[in-house]
Amino acid sequence: MSTSQLPRRALSTLGTGLFGLGVAVGSYGAVVSLLIDRGVAPDAAGFGMTLFLLTQGLAALPADRLTRVMSVPRTCVLGFVLATLAALVGGWATLPAALASRTLLGVGQGVAFVAAMKYVGRRVPDRTAAAQGLLGALFTLGFAAGLAAAPALVRWNPVVPAVGAAALIGVGAVGTATLSGVRTEPPLPVAAYLAPLRSPTGLALGLGNMATFGFLMVAGTWYPDVLRGAGVPVTATLVGFSLSTVVGRAVGGHLSERVGDRRTVLVSFVGTAVVLSLLALALRTEAPWLLVAAVVGTGLGFGVPFGPLFALAFSELADDAGVTLVAMLLVGNVGAVVYPWLLGRTLLDTNSFALGFVAMAATVFGVSVLWMAAVGTETG
């Protein structure tokens, strides 16, 4: 098969599992709102996403090592199976079940994500950004469905979105088990994974993952509560945010082919910092339609750099793509773990999310400065 052609069956199979993962992840915002209504403190309710980000980051290294001792598709299947169980546990919608579900879901997603990214990176090395962007778009489409539909479904019966997500992930697991293998690398000592953590480029890639995927998870956790009582159409705004993220992820891969991965990522970082600042301003001034525009705008900011960012892990910036993926997930997810709790804490202390979004905007701007210094915008 020509590497210029995207592997449609692999993308649809992996994409089904990632779509289901997106549904499971996107549903958590509704669970957080339900827990708060039941008397759970906001910072405790948001802590489930902290656990998700942490365990996904910690699972990256074992996941990469598994792809070196067994086939990449089988590794992905293992991740999907763990995520299926996690989605089912989340159907209880109690605080202990939510925390357990998010913890196991993080492990499952960490394993499946590393394997899926490596699979398409090996299948289409000259169109990695486009292929990974499409997988990211399918995950985010599921995220959109979970984020928009879960508030009503969770209040009716939390088991329904949990079983739906589990079924989709399970279908993806069955299909992935039939995929052909791709080239694998020999196992590496654990010390080899520390090398990117000591380089400005490795840190920039990891923090870039924090500013995109990590902050997307934070937003998905809290946006339902941010919009409640703001005098705006909540469901329509959540759909607009989610779809703009889907569009951004699909567009990002194509945009990178025109202007380069590095420049695409940098411009999106700067734009995200601006839009997050406008979101904080909208909350501070109680401007409802600025709030809607800013929430939808952050979807593009989180979406556009996804494909180009991970494509750089397979480019000249990395000697071993698997090692770089591990560093990106470890730095990015661990770097983001404080923010789900932080937004809940600022709500408790200030009765507003504004300060939390100011912190996120300042963080993304700092990442853009590091990116410019460590990676730059040139394609060569």
Side-chain angles (χ1 to χ4, degrees):
M1 185 188 72
S2 170
T3 57
S4 63
Q5 296 178 333
L6 295 180
R8 294 181 180 178
R9 190 170 79 87
L11 288 174
S12 62
T13 297
L14 295 170
T16 299
L18 290 174
F19 179 88
L21 270 166
V23 172
V25 175
S27 299
Y28 190 60
V31 175
V32 168
S33 296
L34 182 64
L35 293 175
I36 291 173
D37 288 345
R38 291 176 175 175
V40 176
D43 52 347
F47 190 65
M49 191 55 73
T50 293
L51 291 174
F52 169 80
L53 290 168
L54 179 62
T55 53
Q56 185 189 9
L58 295 178
L61 192 156
D64 182 71
R65 291 180 67 82
L66 278 174
T67 65
R68 298 168 187 268
V69 298
M70 57 192 263
S71 76
V72 177
R74 286 184 181 178
T75 302
C76 194
V77 169
L78 174 61
F80 283 152
V81 169
L82 293 175
T84 300
L85 295 175
L88 291 173
V89 170
W92 272 271
T94 63
L95 182 60
L99 298 182
S101 171
R102 296 302 105 174
T103 300
L104 184 57
L105 188 66
V107 176
Q109 170 131 337
V111 174
F113 183 82
V114 168
M117 293 299 106
K118 290 189 73 171
Y119 188 85
V120 296
R122 298 304 182 204
R123 284 286 298 271
V124 281
D126 59 346
R127 299 201 65 191
T128 299
Q132 291 177 338
L134 285 172
L135 286 181
L138 288 167
F139 169 84
T140 314
L141 189 60
F143 182 85
L147 190 62
L153 291 175
V154 164
R155 291 183 182 279
W156 175 55
N157 189 339
V159 172
V160 174
V163 171
L168 288 165
I169 301 168
V171 170
V174 172
T176 301
T178 68
L179 293 178
S180 59
V182 292
R183 177 175 62 86
T184 59
E185 309 91 346
L188 295 174
V190 173
Y193 293 91
L194 301 178
L197 304 179
R198 295 191 293 265
S199 73
T201 298
L203 290 174
L205 288 169
L207 292 173
N209 180 51
M210 178 190 73
T212 53
F213 180 81
F215 282 3
L216 172 64
M217 298 301 98
V218 176
T221 301
W222 287 113
Y223 274 176
D225 256 31
V226 168
L227 296 169
R228 281 202 304 177
V232 301
V234 176
T235 300
T237 304
L238 291 176
V239 170
F241 160 73
S242 302
L243 293 181
S244 71
T245 308
V246 174
V247 171
R249 290 198 170 184
V251 167
H254 296 290
L255 185 61
S256 70
E257 294 177 352
R258 290 178 169 270
V259 303
D261 295 329
R262 305 184 195 191
R263 184 174 286 112
T264 299
V265 171
L266 178 63
V267 171
S268 67
F269 284 169
V270 174
T272 302
V274 171
V275 177
L276 285 169
S277 299
L278 291 174
L279 176 54
L281 178 63
L283 290 169
R284 181 70 176 173
T285 60
E286 298 183 354
W289 295 110
L290 178 59
L291 178 62
V292 170
V295 165
V296 174
T298 57
L300 283 175
F302 298 141
V304 168
F306 178 87
L309 190 65
F310 280 93
L312 287 168
F314 291 81
S315 75
E316 73 279 1
L317 293 182
D319 294 327
D320 188 300
V323 170
T324 307
L325 282 174
V326 170
M328 288 177 69
L329 290 176
L330 185 60
V331 173
N333 286 45
V334 172
V337 296
V338 71
Y339 292 92
W341 170 86
L342 176 65
L343 265 70
R345 192 71 222 178
T346 58
L347 178 62
L348 273 177
D349 293 342
T350 68
N351 200 33
S352 172
F353 290 101
L355 188 60
F357 286 111
V358 167
M360 289 173 65
T363 302
V364 177
F365 181 75
V367 172
S368 69
V369 172
L370 174 62
W371 185 269
M372 188 66 184
V375 180
T377 61
E378 295 301 319
T379 58

